[in-house]
Amino acid sequence: MSEKSISIVGSYKTKNTVEKTAAFLFVICAFVAVLAVLSITIYMIVGGTPAIFEVGLKNILLGTVWKPTASEPQYGILYVILTSIVGTILAVLIGVPIGVMTAVFLAETAPTRLSALVKPAVELLAGIPSVIFGLLGILILNPLIYQLEMAVFKDNPNHQFTGGSNLISAVLVLAIMILPTVINISESALRAVPSHYKQASLALGASHIQTIFKVIVPAAKSGIITAIVLGVGRAIGEAMAISLVAGNGANLPLPFHSVRFLTTAVVNEMSYAADTHKRVLFTIGLVLFVFIMLINLVLNKVMKGGIEDVNS
Amino acid sequence: MKNVIIGIISLLLLLIMIGSLSSCAKSDEYPDNAPEHSNNSKEIEIKKIAGTITMAGSTSMEKLANALSEAFMEKYPDMLVSAEFIGSGAGIEAVLSSTVNIGNSSRHLKETEISNGAVENIVAIDGIAVILDKSNSKNDISMDQLKKIFTGEINNWSKIGGENQPIVVIGREAGSGTRDAFEELLGIEEKCKYSNEINSTGGVMAKVASTPGAVGYVSLDVLDDTVSVAKIDGTEPTEEMIKAGSYLLSRPFIMATKGEISNQTLEIQAFFEFIKSEEGKELIRRIGLINVD
């Protein structure tokens, strides 16, 4: 009797209700993420489009002058978009080789003791808040880059000195910040390569290094590409650290120019912006959102492509 | 209607005076007998002035707004004054949309803002200091040189008699009240060429302090000894110089209301009375700002 009263399935009827309620709850939980994405998408479109009609899409996307508070305001973000693209590509070019090599080291060649030292360090790097990277950038990286800048532009009277807050600093900080993502995902991919691939290669007489680069890395290709695409996502979405080290001038992305990324353009001026200026910042957010969506689409394509590769 | 309001205010002030007198008396002379008496007058005070005042606006005015609201709340324990620091433009926008009572602005109101009903109440004057990094031997800049530095015409300290050191021009982001005021005061709106645009006063201080050859601008009250302060046309940014009108980089701190102060609630009127009182003036002086009159 007492046993029966404890059980939630007291009778056929209650059982049915419980089952149905549970199923309903699960459906709701499952849709939370979908709802979040949907509402963000709708909000970005609603928030970002008014300025497009006010200023004109062409003026925003192809304009090169950013003077939001001038008496005749100009809202051109072409340089900002270019900076995001160039900065991200450069950061990936630096960060990915280092990251993939570290992953190879961790998965294949590292002695256990050394790997026990490197692995936690990589995980810790992922956990460090981005503002810390920014502060270190200001304190250590910027003065160094400023020295370099002064050496390079010693006899150039027309160069506007940035004090080290420029594209190079930003790219270096970004490159370090994408490392954990790239390393962790590449390492999982490398470890997932079936061990008989390696054994077969070694049995055919290939050396360990040959096996790594001719067999294991190609076999883990799709995972490594995923790592790269996620790294791109992280680099393009990073704001805090970059806003501290990049100088935030809306300039053409050349190495010693003070530059502004899509993220920092929003972050930096949001607090003081009003009217059209604020709405254009939402449009910049929309542009960034479209970028992230494109990257995700590419990611999905690449992952599907990767699976087909394995099957063929 | 107006007479009634004025009547109420004067009654209120009278009560406040009695209240403060009685509490003085209590603490000084009659520690045991007084409470009953002071409770009575306090009760009336509570009835009259109790409620909330909300402020939003300029980050440059953070120190002033916090100090004023704390002192005001100490004087009127039943008042709750809260302040947010979201920037001048956003503050005025908030007061116009009636989401807050007072909009703090560290620049003069724009014509569109005034035509929408915002009223400019100047509560204090702030100076803008031009700061240099400590290693810079040059510390006297003329107004003209300053203009040329910030528009990029002069880019090395050696051109104006300093060391052979490139100038790194540090500024604030578009929309900042300090930047608006600075550019307006120099007459170089939209012409500035910054190599760094930083979105906070503290950030400018830190960047200038750590970059050799840097020059930047901040409000007077945040100055400390991590940077050196430049004389402009030979004048240091001190209260006497700003009041005398010889230091030219100064700007108003405004607490904007929607409609005149006399049309605001009693609490808000009391708040502005407090700012104008000797106590308020002393407070403004103490945090490094300059009184209006």
Side-chain angles (χ1 to χ4, degrees), chain A residues 71 157 160 165 247 258 271-272, chain B residues 59 86 155 173 193 197 207:
Chain A
S71 52
Q160 188 186 25
S165 301
S258 145
S271 55
Y272 281 110
Chain B
T59 49
I86 54 174
N155 60 6
E173 81 282 17
K193 277 189 188 157
E197 286 181 40
K207 187 73 198 175

Side-chain angles (χ1 to χ4, degrees), chain A residues 67-71 142 146 150 157-163 165 247-249 258 260 267-269 271-272 274-275 277, chain B residues 59-60 86-88 90 93 155 165-168 172-177 190 193-197 199 207 210-212:
Chain A
K67 275 187 182 167
T69 52
S71 52
N142 281 353
Y146 189 31
M150 282 200 278
N158 295 322
H159 179 72
Q160 188 186 25
F161 283 85
T162 60
S165 301
N248 298 322
S258 145
R260 179 182 305 202
V267 164
N268 224 33
E269 287 177 8
S271 55
Y272 281 110
D275 305 330
H277 184 187
Chain B
T59 49
S60 314
I86 54 174
S88 300
E93 207 177 307
N155 60 6
Q165 168 83 268
I167 301 177
V168 179
R172 293 288 306 276
E173 81 282 17
S176 148
E190 304 165 31
K193 277 189 188 157
Y194 297 111
S195 50
N196 277 212
E197 286 181 40
N199 64 358
K207 187 73 198 175
S210 67
T211 311

Side-chain angles (χ1 to χ4, degrees), chain A residues 146 154-157 161, chain B residues 136-141 145 149 153-168 212-214:
Chain A
Y146 189 31
K154 212 175 188 175
D155 307 311
N156 188 341
F161 283 85
Chain B
N136 201 330
S137 58
K138 178 95 184 158
N139 66 350
D140 191 345
I141 304 172
Q145 288 169 342
I149 288 173
E153 230 176 291
I154 297 175
N155 60 6
N156 197 304
W157 290 110
S158 62
K159 287 187 190 168
I160 51 170
E163 295 153 42
N164 181 18
Q165 168 83 268
I167 301 177
V168 179

Side-chain angles (χ1 to χ4, degrees), chain A residues 3-208:
Chain A
E3 227 171 71
K4 206 175 179 188
S5 67
I6 289 168
S7 164
I8 53 165
V9 265
S11 68
Y12 170 73
K13 210 176 176 187
T14 49
K15 183 183 173 186
N16 210 15
T17 327
V18 167
E19 288 291 321
K20 275 186 177 160
T21 324
F24 182 66
L25 275 177
F26 295 152
V27 169
I28 289 181
C29 291
F31 270 89
V32 167
V34 177
L35 275 177
V37 170
L38 254 177
S39 56
I40 291 171
T41 310
I42 292 169
Y43 184 74
M44 284 317 298
I45 291 170
V46 168
T49 40
I52 295 177
F53 291 112
E54 259 172 78
V55 187
L57 190 62
K58 211 177 128 196
N59 289 344
I60 294 181
L61 292 185
L62 299 179
T64 54
V65 181
W66 176 256
K67 275 187 182 167
T69 52
S71 52
E72 273 177 46
Q74 282 172 286
Y75 302 100
I77 60 163
L78 182 64
Y79 287 163
V80 180
I81 295 175
L82 283 180
T83 301
S84 262
I85 295 172
V86 171
T88 305
I89 289 174
L90 289 178
V92 166
L93 282 181
I94 299 171
V96 165
I98 298 176
V100 173
M101 295 304 158
T102 310
V104 168
F105 170 78
L106 284 175
E108 293 296 326
T109 65
T112 358
R113 241 193 249 164
L114 204 53
S115 132
L117 194 73
V118 176
K119 187 92 177 121
V122 170
E123 271 151 22
L124 207 60
L125 198 62
I128 292 173
S130 62
V131 67
I132 303 289
F133 284 101
L135 284 176
L136 291 176
I138 282 186
L139 293 174
I140 299 165
L141 195 59
N142 281 353
L144 286 175
I145 302 291
Y146 189 31
Q147 298 288 328
L148 181 69
E149 189 182 13
M150 282 200 278
V152 171
F153 290 96
K154 212 175 188 175
D155 307 311
N156 188 341
N158 295 322
H159 179 72
Q160 188 186 25
F161 283 85
T162 60
S165 301
N166 50 32
L167 185 65
I168 299 179
S169 298
V171 164
L172 290 178
V173 169
L174 277 182
I176 293 172
M177 291 186 72
I178 63 168
L179 278 183
T181 314
V182 176
I183 293 172
N184 286 332
I185 296 171
S186 307
E187 196 204 344
S188 318
L190 289 170
R191 284 196 192 280
V193 173
S195 60
H196 59 255
Y197 281 32
K198 188 178 170 186
Q199 286 156 6
S201 168
L202 291 173
L204 284 170
S207 72
H208 193 184

Side-chain angles (χ1 to χ4, degrees), chain A residues 264-287:
Chain A
T264 51
V266 179
V267 164
N268 224 33
E269 287 177 8
M270 207 61 199
S271 55
Y272 281 110
D275 305 330
T276 313
H277 184 187
K278 188 159 234 161
R279 289 191 284 275
V280 172
L281 293 185
F282 274 99
T283 307
I284 298 180
L286 184 62
V287 172

